[in-house]
Amino acid sequence: VRTISHLTVALAMAVAVSVLTIAPSTAAPTDCFVGDFKLSVDAADIPAGATVAAYNGSGGSVAIPAVVMCSGQAYDVTTIGVQSFYNTAVTSVTIPDSVTIIKDSAFALAKLTSVTIPDSVITIEGGAFSDNALTSATIGNSVTTIGDNAFYANSLTSVTIGSSVTAIGDNAFYGNDLTSVTIPNSVLTIGESAFFGNLDLASVTIGNSVTTIGPYAFSQGALTSVTIPNSVTLIDQSAFSNNSLSSISIGNSVTTIGVFAFYNNELTSVTIPSSVTTIGGVAFEGNPDLTSVLFEGAAPTITEAGGGAGSLGEPVGLVVSYKDVFDASNVDNGFTTPTWKGYTTHKIDTGVPSVTINQGPGQADPTGTSPVVFDVGFSEPVTGLTDSDVVLSGTAGATTAPVTGSGSNYT
């Protein structure tokens, strides 16, 4: 019995030792004050670096330190924290190349007039620089994400977007004074209202990796022309509404053109690529001089003309052209003549006419004098045949080929 008792005590001690051995040890982040800055550090995670938690200075020009000493330990400053400079009088800031992330609303409602984001920064979170007085911004080449509202409601006249950005968030540059913008080839998505309300935005270059142009992305600008690259599949609601577009080129991967997408512009003609399957209501409404819409492929789903809701705008004076292979007589749900969905249509004959070339009546053969006359006959009427369409060959040495005639017969 005594032996069993000793064994029981030994087991109990072993369990107690085991519990004490695995008890976790944690260290909470602590505050550190360096000059005008309050920082947060974690002695248990020195590589994570220091976060600027608050700025308590008088404003003006501010340089954020790259390294700080807290309790005798050096920390790289890696993060500019949430609202750390919120509503301060800071007019300019130097961000060290140790910083990798700028958190939500970090500089919101400050007094910044310009900013350079170093190449070390990877993420700019939502509202980071919103509601300042920025006139220029340079975004470093390591930034991958520009968050929602990041540069909302400034006075930006120029912005350089780094070559690693993949996403431009909703309202990112809303309500600025940009006149031109280049979206780099790294960008995949342009968010809702990303460049809305840049009233003087007259030029935009969209990179060749963008797949989605969000609702209202470039609405309320001054664009006169735009090229949608072949990477884009979606032009969303009102994306280019309320500009001055007179010319657009729509890439051959676009499948959906959203409602109001090109509403209230100055378009006179539009070519719809064969990839498009859906055009939302009123997509081209408000283009009073639009007289020609050419469809390169099958008939898409659209809203019928009438009541100001037609996808292609008002039907008066507008002619919709389509290739004969997509006529309803050839395919289900095809185009029809003389009208389709309330719009006047024109069917394009895509067949190649046959041609016959004969020696002209009374033409001597052989001959050594000019002119040498040939009659040309087509299997159907053609237009646009000119001197430049004739290729001369042979040994006679002819240098010109004047063309006369019309319809099916030419000389």
Side-chain angles (χ1 to χ4, degrees), residues 173-205:
F173 295 95
Y174 182 113
N176 280 275
D177 298 320
L178 294 170
T179 58
S180 67
V181 66
T182 296
I183 311 296
N185 291 336
S186 56
V187 173
L188 302 177
T189 58
I190 301 172
E192 180 173 350
S193 300
F195 294 91
F196 181 97
N198 284 265
L199 301 180
D200 296 319
L201 183 59
S203 172
V204 60
T205 300

Side-chain angles (χ1 to χ4, degrees), residues 164-236:
S164 295
V165 172
T166 59
I168 299 175
D170 297 347
N171 306 305
F173 295 95
Y174 182 113
N176 280 275
D177 298 320
L178 294 170
T179 58
S180 67
V181 66
T182 296
I183 311 296
N185 291 336
S186 56
V187 173
L188 302 177
T189 58
I190 301 172
E192 180 173 350
S193 300
F195 294 91
F196 181 97
N198 284 265
L199 301 180
D200 296 319
L201 183 59
S203 172
V204 60
T205 300
I206 301 173
N208 60 20
S209 295
V210 172
T211 61
T212 301
I213 301 174
Y216 301 93
F218 295 97
S219 184
Q220 299 285 352
L223 295 173
T224 57
S225 66
V226 67
T227 297
I228 312 297
N230 291 335
S231 56
V232 173
T233 60
L234 172 62
I235 302 172
D236 215 330

Side-chain angles (χ1 to χ4, degrees), residues 265-304:
N265 279 278
E266 299 173 9
L267 295 169
T268 58
S269 65
V270 175
T271 297
I272 307 295
S274 59
S275 56
V276 173
T277 59
T278 303
I279 302 176
V282 204
F284 292 95
E285 178 67 46
N287 289 268
D289 297 321
L290 182 61
T291 58
S292 173
V293 175
L294 169 62
F295 286 92
E296 294 187 325
T301 299
I302 73 166
T303 299
E304 190 165 347

Side-chain angles (χ1 to χ4, degrees), residues 49-100:
T51 296
V52 178
Y55 168 75
N56 299 308
S58 59
S61 297
V62 172
I64 298 172
V67 180
V68 293
M69 294 295 295
C70 295
S71 300
Q73 175 64 54
Y75 294 87
D76 292 332
V77 175
T78 58
T79 304
I80 300 176
V82 174
Q83 295 188 342
S84 49
F85 290 85
Y86 181 87
N87 201 26
T88 62
V90 173
T91 57
S92 69
V93 61
T94 300
I95 300 172
D97 59 10
S98 57
V99 171
T100 60

